[in-house]
Amino acid sequence: MNIAIASGKGGTGKTTLSTNLAMLLAESQKVVLSDLDVEEPNSGLFIEAELLHEENKFKMIPEWTKDKCTLCGICQDVCNFHAVIQLGTKIMVFPQLCHSCYACSELCPTEALPMIPKKMGVLKHFNSGNLSFIESRLDIGEEQAVPLIAQTIQYVNENFSDNIIRIYDAPPGTSCPVIEATKDADFVMLVTEPTPFGLHDLKLAMETMRELKKDFGVVVNRYGIGNDDVLKYCTTEAIPILAKIPNDRRIAELYSSGKLIYNQHPEVRKQLDSIKNCILELNQMSAR
Amino acid sequence: MKIAFTTKGIYWDSVMDSRFGRTEYILVYDDETKELTNFDNRSISNEAHGAGPKTAQKLYEFNPDILITGNGPGGNAASVLKQAGIKVFIGASEMSVKEAYEKYKNNVLEGL
């Protein structure tokens, strides 16, 4: 069972929800929490766990072999990303632009562009009781999150059974990294705040999830600020509101000192319990 | 000597385009023949990725000695321009092509 926690707008509370929900679930069952916001992972700030395993992650990029090249230009013509360009008698490769699609390498008639591994980041696997926590971090200077997100999901798939609830903390926005982080989800929770900005970006996120044909629900965070346009909009669109997490200075204080909230704040606990029940119900349905 | 400019139009009094990769036009001035040629680069707006290297590659075809632009190329484009041996001068934003050329002549523009 894969649950992705996403949002349009950044800073709405994805990590707060992911970490607290995962820890709450871990009180009664095995759960995997995976931080897919590889450009700036922060779930780990709230999780105290033992490091079990660490591995470097690589993406494949072409390397030009001058001696084999006939300068036919096919490589630059087939590259959709201008990651390979011919300049006079030289082929230049831009690893940051390369999407590892292999087109240049496979279509090169003289095999002058073999694919070689290039390190892009590090995956870490932690454990604490029922909770397994997987975090990937992109190396500084790397521009593409998607390959590392894909490999992180693959790691989770290879190391944990389907029956275990997996919570994926997705990056913000609606671009490629979000698509990658949510495309295999059985259910997506969109976290928003009840402000015009929150609603604007929630609409974009909903549009994206509809395009991906995902089941999704909305969690309103900092409930009490702004207005009730988000609630009205969700009612009109028949989107379930899974929880309303109150706006409370105490929550911000706990968060800013790296502490979890579900065990310190009864109302948050109540809201998270209802999300938990919703997940357990979905899990039972998918197990049938 | 051939001097290239990133511009928003095709005349001497057109405004400079401060962007390199996504510049609307490239103007090339040959100070020996006094000829001013242009290239319409506006289709670059269809490219989601790699605008810098693509424009740099296009520029290479014109074989200029000097590039005068605004903000300056990004890392990928800069490496192509370096490979192509094109000397880059930046800081020519919010002025006409003519003014940019005069500033270059008076050594006011910063070289990369």
Side-chain angles (χ1 to χ4, degrees):
Chain A
M1 175 87 193
N2 295 316
I3 309 281
I5 296 182
S7 73
K9 186 180 174 299
T12 54
K14 285 180 298 302
T15 298
T16 305
L17 178 61
S18 304
T19 51
N20 284 279
L21 186 60
M23 287 304 281
L24 177 65
L25 284 160
E27 285 181 349
S28 53
Q29 61 234 287
K30 284 197 179 302
V31 57
V32 182
L33 170 64
S34 178
D35 194 343
L36 297 181
D37 191 2
V38 299
E39 289 173 271
E40 39 197 354
N42 62 346
S43 289
L45 298 173
F46 303 92
I47 304 289
E48 277 176 37
E50 184 198 349
L51 181 64
L52 292 186
H53 174 69
E54 179 175 345
E55 63 187 49
N56 289 335
K57 286 297 187 186
F58 299 85
K59 68 174 189 174
M60 301 300 284
I61 57 154
E63 188 178 62
W64 185 48
T65 314
K66 191 181 175 190
D67 299 342
K68 288 187 174 179
C69 181
T70 59
L71 298 168
C72 69
I74 289 176
C75 51
Q76 68 165 355
D77 292 342
V78 298
C79 183
N80 267 337
F81 308 101
H82 307 300
V84 182
I85 69 165
Q86 185 178 346
L87 205 67
T89 56
K90 195 175 177 203
I91 302 293
M92 296 181 81
V93 176
F94 299 97
Q96 310 304 340
L97 294 172
C98 176
H99 284 55
S100 309
C101 76
Y102 283 66
C104 62
S105 186
E106 295 285 323
L107 295 170
C108 173
T110 57
E111 296 178 345
L113 284 162
M115 299 296 278
I116 56 151
K118 178 179 186 293
K119 181 173 172 279
M120 62 173 164
V122 180
L123 178 148
K124 289 181 181 175
H125 179 163
F126 300 85
N127 194 75
S128 170
N130 273 334
L131 179 80
S132 297
F133 173 53
I134 314 297
E135 177 203 80
S136 282
R137 188 177 292 267
L138 204 59
D139 285 348
I140 290 170
E142 287 297 320
E143 292 175 21
Q144 282 181 54
V146 170
L148 186 54
I149 293 171
Q151 288 188 30
T152 307
I153 295 172
Q154 191 187 348
Y155 180 90
V156 172
N157 287 338
E158 285 169 1
N159 285 277
F160 300 96
S161 120
D162 283 346
N163 311 325
I164 298 175
I165 294 168
R166 302 150 176 193
I167 309 277
Y168 291 100
D169 187 4
T174 52
S175 62
C176 299
V178 179
I179 309 293
E180 192 65 35
T182 54
K183 71 178 189 192
D184 296 326
D186 299 297
F187 190 81
V188 180
M189 293 184 185
L190 297 176
V191 189
T192 188
E193 57 180 37
T195 60
F197 191 177
L199 177 58
H200 176 273
D201 285 7
L202 175 65
K203 286 179 182 173
L204 295 176
M206 283 170 52
E207 213 178 295
T208 309
M209 291 311 134
R210 282 181 173 141
E211 189 71 30
L212 291 172
K213 301 192 168 47
K214 291 291 158 195
D215 289 329
F216 60 91
V218 168
V219 173
V220 181
N221 191 16
R222 301 193 66 196
Y223 180 63
I225 62 167
N227 56 40
D228 58 1
D229 287 353
V230 165
L231 298 183
K232 281 184 190 159
Y233 182 75
C234 290
T235 308
T236 314
E237 296 285 319
I239 301 302
I241 302 272
L242 306 168
K244 297 171 197 163
I245 299 170
N247 183 50
D248 185 343
R249 188 184 165 89
R250 176 77 188 127
I251 297 173
E253 284 170 357
L254 287 165
Y255 175 89
S256 61
S257 51
K259 292 191 178 115
L260 292 167
I261 297 145
Y262 76 104
N263 49 0
Q264 307 265 343
H265 196 292
E267 177 58 22
V268 170
R269 169 101 197 189
K270 192 180 132 201
Q271 294 294 324
L272 290 176
D273 270 331
S274 75
I275 300 177
K276 175 185 158 182
N277 292 336
C278 161
I279 290 175
L280 295 179
E281 230 169 85
L282 285 165
N283 199 29
Q284 272 182 359
M285 279 162 60
S286 71
R288 260 180 225 152
Chain B
M1 189 172 68
K2 283 160 94 174
I3 303 162
F5 301 85
T6 56
T7 67
K8 287 179 176 292
I10 60 169
Y11 306 108
W12 277 112
D13 54 4
S14 298
V15 180
M16 291 290 290
D17 198 325
S18 56
R19 302 165 300 177
F20 173 73
R22 295 190 180 276
T23 184
E24 292 183 27
Y25 295 89
I26 297 168
L27 285 196
V28 181
Y29 177 59
D30 187 329
D31 66 1
E32 281 153 32
T33 63
K34 308 291 178 201
E35 201 181 358
L36 189 66
T37 50
N38 68 75
F39 172 74
D40 186 344
N41 194 47
R42 286 177 296 178
S43 65
I44 201 75
S45 64
N46 301 325
E47 303 288 343
H49 307 270
K54 188 170 188 211
T55 299
Q57 186 184 31
K58 180 50 74 179
L59 191 64
Y60 173 78
E61 291 173 18
F62 294 107
N63 195 27
D65 302 284
I66 304 277
L67 167 70
I68 296 176
T69 185
N71 301 333
N76 291 330
S79 65
V80 178
L81 295 171
K82 191 177 175 198
Q83 181 67 35
I86 300 169
K87 180 98 182 87
V88 183
F89 289 88
I90 62 167
S93 296
E94 289 165 19
M95 62 181 78
S96 69
V97 180
K98 194 162 181 259
E99 284 171 281
Y101 180 58
E102 280 160 7
K103 281 202 188 320
Y104 162 71
K105 281 283 179 195
N106 296 327
N107 294 318
V108 183
L109 297 179
E110 182 192 340
L112 274 192

